[in-house]
Amino acid sequence: MRGSRIAGLGSFLPERVVTNHDLSQWMETSDEWIQQRTGIRERRWVQGDVGASDLALPASQDALTEAGLEASDLDMIIFATLSPDIGFPGSSCLLQAKLGVPGIATLDIRNQCTGFVYALSVADQFIRSGAMKHILVVGAEVHSTGLDISTRGRDVTVIFGDGAGAAVVSATDGDARVLDSALHADGSQAEILMLGAPASGRNPRLSHEMLDAGLHYPSMKGSAVFKQAVRHFPAVIREVMERNAMSVDDIGMLIPHQANLRISEMVGKSLGIGPDRMHNTIQWTGNTTAASIPIALHEAVKAGRIQSGDHVVLAAFGAGLTWGANLIRW
């Protein structure tokens, strides 16, 4: 039966390292305070005029090389991001131009932290249907240029980093494949994690009053997000496993969205999954939203933590609210 597999992975992080100590020079915070609440020690931030598609390009090229393909072999690009290079057109079109492959289909996905999980599911369905053979799935973010780097924005700013991850998803008849995906959303909880301006729902879309109020910076009700995350994260992982007649014990490696190390630790404890079966990168990358899962997956594979035949689960929770999981036989 035709399915899809991850044929190649790539990732890219900007050179600039921003430590917790660096942040303490710009706002009232400390390394101890940040690590205690998030587990983050440092993150990468861009320098100069760099957009999400700029970070995505080297990650995509590495994924294509690993897959043994050229960009011209692609049928489609699916780009997950909450920080597009410009308002429109989408970053998938900009990446297509940088890869030099005009004419192929492109799609932008705006599911924030769950973006890569949704994107992989969409790619899997296109390939299962026979419509596509090779799809580039990308998650890339530039958060740093849109953060409130002051004590007012501290709770959000200390969390986020920039980066990109990419996967070439290809048709297969073999055992190694994407087995299933579970996807969910609850828009009634949108206000607990959002960016309010500029927005078409406001007239004007941006005003001096909005800027003064900081509506152009992301806002988060941290305790509410934490409570929702530790509830939905384990539930969707169990759902995708049970739907395939498996248990959590069958998971060889869990790659959670890198939102907060404390959330990942609580999810692992809830499921009975220890550090030996979970891979985290947030300590060094911060929360890179749609990029966090492909970055962590690429690192886990390079480190030899995932072997052929392993059942790998990618799981995410984030703004929307959205949450989901992919089950993969490696």
Side-chain angles (χ1 to χ4, degrees), residues 11 25 33 39 50 59 66 69 79 98 128 132 134 145 152 176 205 221 236 256 284 293 299:
S11 58
Q25 310 305 303
W33 188 90
V50 177
E66 188 173 287
L69 298 174
F79 199 123
K98 289 170 183 174
R128 284 178 189 243
M132 308 282 182
H134 301 294
T145 52
R152 179 181 68 171
R205 295 188 178 197
K221 297 178 181 177
V236 77
W284 319 111
I293 285 179
E299 183 179 285

Side-chain angles (χ1 to χ4, degrees), residues 5-323:
R5 69 182 181 94
I6 294 178
L9 290 165
S11 58
F12 181 78
L13 295 170
E15 290 185 8
R16 181 189 178 195
V17 176
V18 177
T19 66
N20 293 342
H21 177 71
D22 292 330
L23 293 180
S24 70
Q25 310 305 303
W26 307 322
M27 62 188 72
E28 293 178 10
T29 191
S30 67
D31 176 65
E32 181 183 10
W33 188 90
I34 296 170
Q35 285 205 53
Q36 198 172 64
R37 287 159 178 78
T38 70
I40 299 169
R41 301 180 184 181
E42 61 185 42
R43 71 287 294 146
R44 303 293 186 94
W45 283 2
V46 301
Q47 299 180 83
D49 297 331
V50 177
S53 70
D54 295 315
L55 299 184
L57 180 60
S60 300
Q61 291 168 330
D62 285 350
L64 285 163
T65 298
E66 188 173 287
L69 298 174
E70 301 291 334
S72 57
D73 294 315
L74 295 172
D75 301 303
M76 187 178 195
I77 297 170
I78 303 178
F79 199 123
T81 185
L82 66 71
S83 54
D85 300 61
I86 52 178
F88 68 87
S91 291
S92 61
C93 286
L94 303 182
L95 178 60
Q96 183 215 57
K98 289 170 183 174
L99 287 169
V101 285
I104 68 170
T106 68
L107 175 66
D108 280 54
I109 287 187
R110 296 293 305 279
N111 287 83
Q112 286 55 260
C113 300
T114 320
F116 189 83
V117 168
Y118 266 76
L120 181 59
S121 176
V122 171
D124 180 48
Q125 297 304 316
F126 268 115
I127 290 173
R128 284 178 189 243
S129 73
M132 308 282 182
K133 186 176 180 182
H134 301 294
I135 299 176
L136 177 65
V137 179
V138 178
E141 306 286 3
V142 175
H143 286 296
S144 58
T145 52
L147 297 173
D148 183 355
I149 305 176
S150 71
T151 299
R152 179 181 68 171
R154 170 183 60 186
D155 291 352
V156 173
T157 297
V158 301
I159 296 171
F160 290 105
D162 305 335
V168 173
V169 183
S170 297
T172 184
D173 294 319
D175 291 334
R177 60 175 60 208
V178 178
L179 296 174
D180 198 4
S181 298
L183 307 174
H184 298 283
D186 180 5
S188 70
Q189 299 291 313
E191 78 286 347
I192 70 174
L193 183 53
M194 68 185 301
L195 179 65
S200 63
R202 298 176 183 272
N203 191 0
R205 295 188 178 197
L206 187 63
S207 67
H208 290 294
E209 290 76 17
M210 294 177 201
L211 292 172
D212 291 341
L215 296 183
H216 59 301
Y217 294 126
S219 65
M220 177 177 65
K221 297 178 181 177
S223 60
V225 171
F226 193 95
K227 289 176 183 177
Q228 293 284 345
V230 297
R231 170 189 167 201
H232 290 301
F233 240 130
V236 77
I237 293 168
R238 289 192 179 98
E239 176 189 351
V240 78
M241 298 304 293
E242 291 170 2
R243 205 157 69 189
N244 289 273
M246 298 182 194
S247 73
V248 172
D249 292 338
D250 294 311
I251 297 175
M253 183 58 62
L254 171 62
I255 309 290
H257 162 56
Q258 304 295 295
N260 182 313
L261 186 60
R262 306 308 165 217
I263 291 176
S264 295
E265 289 171 343
M266 286 195 68
V267 170
K269 184 176 180 180
S270 172
L271 295 170
I273 294 177
D276 59 318
R277 291 195 292 145
M278 182 186 298
H279 194 76
N280 287 297
T281 61
I282 192 169
Q283 302 95 315
W284 319 111
T285 63
N287 179 345
T288 55
T289 311
S292 79
I293 285 179
I295 289 172
L297 178 61
H298 189 211
E299 183 179 285
V301 171
K302 288 191 297 182
R305 300 198 69 197
I306 297 175
Q307 303 297 323
S308 177
D310 284 349
H311 288 110
V312 178
V313 172
L314 315 180
F317 170 89
L321 298 172
T322 58
W323 61 98

